[in-house]
Amino acid sequence: MKKLIALVSTMAMAVSLAGCSSSGNDQSAASASAGVSGTFEGTAQGKGGDVTVTLTLTDSKITDVSIEGKDETPGIGDTAMETMAQEIKDSGSIGVDTVSGATVTSDAVLEAAAAALTSAGLNPDDYKTAVSAATAAGDVTEEADVVVVGAGGAGMVAAITAADAGKSVIILESQAMGGGNSVRSTGGMNAAKTVYQDDNDFDEAAGVEKTLKTAAEKYADNETITALAKTVQEQWDAYQADPQGYFDSTELFELDTMIGGKGINDPELVKTLCENSADAIDWLDTIGASLHNVAQFGGASVKRIHRPVNDEGKTVAVGAYLVPILTQNVEDRGITVHYNTTANKILMSDGKAAGVQAEQKDGSTLTVNAKAVVLATGGFGANNAMVAEQNPALDGYITTNAPGAQGQGIVMATAEDVGAATVDMDQIQLHPTVHVADDGSANLITEGLRGDGAILVNKEGSRFTDEVGTRDKVSADENAQTDGQAWLIVDQSMYDASTVIQGYVTKGWTVQGDTVADLAAAMGVDADTLTKTIDDWNTCVANESDPDFGRTSFNHQLEGTMYAILVQPGVHHTMGGLKIDSSAEVEKADSSVIPGLFAAGEVTGGVHGANRLGGNAVADFVVFGRIAGQSAADYAK
């Protein structure tokens, strides 16, 4: 239950003032309680902890607002607090809109603001009149070299790149805050042949040889996979004859991505992704983002995912880390960003993209005439109707997607006058570890935990899959278990090393036990079965062999205090989207390009095939975001 904090004395004052003004309910707040000035606080329970709103009042009018909630989700809750603080200050009302994607935090802000007014001896209802939409100032037209639609990872990377190429850039974002699905990414970014990869105590042989075996047994008729496997085999043979450092290659990265995508990926796009991945890591360094901690994720033969760490050396969620840095870089370059502005039409001139038309929050139309258009609107994972249309089996599934992932970019680009083609639209990925919180929200649980040594057990207490297999395989195995759910188990040493896990515990999403028997009781599973499962897993780690499920990653034995979180599959990524070439130009069905139209990120298709590997989404939006931004800037010349 949300808690309100207010002083008894001010509550008494509120009652007194309410009695004095009971006959004037239609009076303004200022006239009903004239002369109240000072600073007043209220607190309510948010997503992760207390949210405190501090209101500065001058003659009973709100003149300043500050909001603090240190445990709210980075990049989501904190952004919502910043947005709402400004809106409350500007309007003088607490009747402002909640922020999509941060409903719990938004509700806490409004409740805490009401508590602050109560503590000032004022009636919060006098300040709850919804702020009427501003009278449209009239339709507006702006000019830019490049207009970017979407302020998620791909959009901001493209905008930064185009601006650094000397072009004027405008970004349009449908939501009240940027970040899109990117800010929700918890893992990291895949990249091959970086200086941050090293061998540590990792046995590359098991992963590489398993991948080569899979290529030979399942994809012998796929020319791209066969050719890549031949190259990797030659590289692997040479490495074994003369080991030098850590083994990885762009070809192995391509092979993993193609196999993960079941061979239907566009080979040229995959090659572009992998060959530019190491340089993308270096580019992130130049804008203040360091992804230097390397681990293994599902579907990767070797350790390849690059993650951020905090000042204490603990891994942190990559999206919440990157998005604020990208946002700051956008601001530093003076790039104009229009929030709450939904693009609805690509403007065409002589068969070329020439700008975008959009609807602003006040109902007015914003037209941006531009020499080049970059679509970075994300996928359609939050649009259940569109998901069900493309894949009826997924109708009604929970989703990890941000509210803005509605597929607008795909709809605009495929309009008859634009003529863009799409690929792989029915390929929609389930993520196997999604936790449904008490408030009904679906929360992504990072795949990195499994890469670091976590295991999955069913409601009977037994393992049932290779935890670092591809997401489609793990999700399918999970769906076959009781209630289609499973428990993800980590231990104290993993908790100590990860602020992400610590956040799950703080939010109350986990159960825990100092012994396996205690954990089993908290999970509601048989203690003997869970004890045997943990013992068997620790034996697998000791022997670096998993005879039951073929796992090849053995980083960690589970010991001491353990934590478990209940998870289930949820719609996570739409692999299908607009057809692009390796320059991020949008194509028609005949593979001819649409001049001036570019796209990057989840709005596109072809990169991931039938299944996206964890860590490839961040690689996708950084690599192709840079390419789209540069291509658009070059075209704008």
Side-chain angles (χ1 to χ4, degrees), residues 519-531:
L519 182 66
M523 293 165 58
V525 305
D526 181 71
D528 290 340
T529 301
L530 185 61
T531 298

Side-chain angles (χ1 to χ4, degrees), residues 109-182:
V109 167
L110 297 179
E111 193 164 349
L117 289 167
T118 299
S119 73
L122 300 172
N123 184 356
D125 290 341
D126 290 332
Y127 293 80
K128 288 183 178 178
T129 301
V131 180
S132 58
T135 302
D139 297 343
V140 178
T141 299
E142 298 182 2
E143 308 286 333
D145 292 322
V146 178
V147 59
V148 178
V149 187
M156 288 194 284
V157 169
I160 291 166
T161 303
D164 286 350
K167 302 304 173 184
S168 59
V169 183
I170 292 174
I171 302 176
L172 307 181
E173 169 57 47
S174 66
Q175 303 299 297
M177 58 185 179
N181 272 351
S182 302

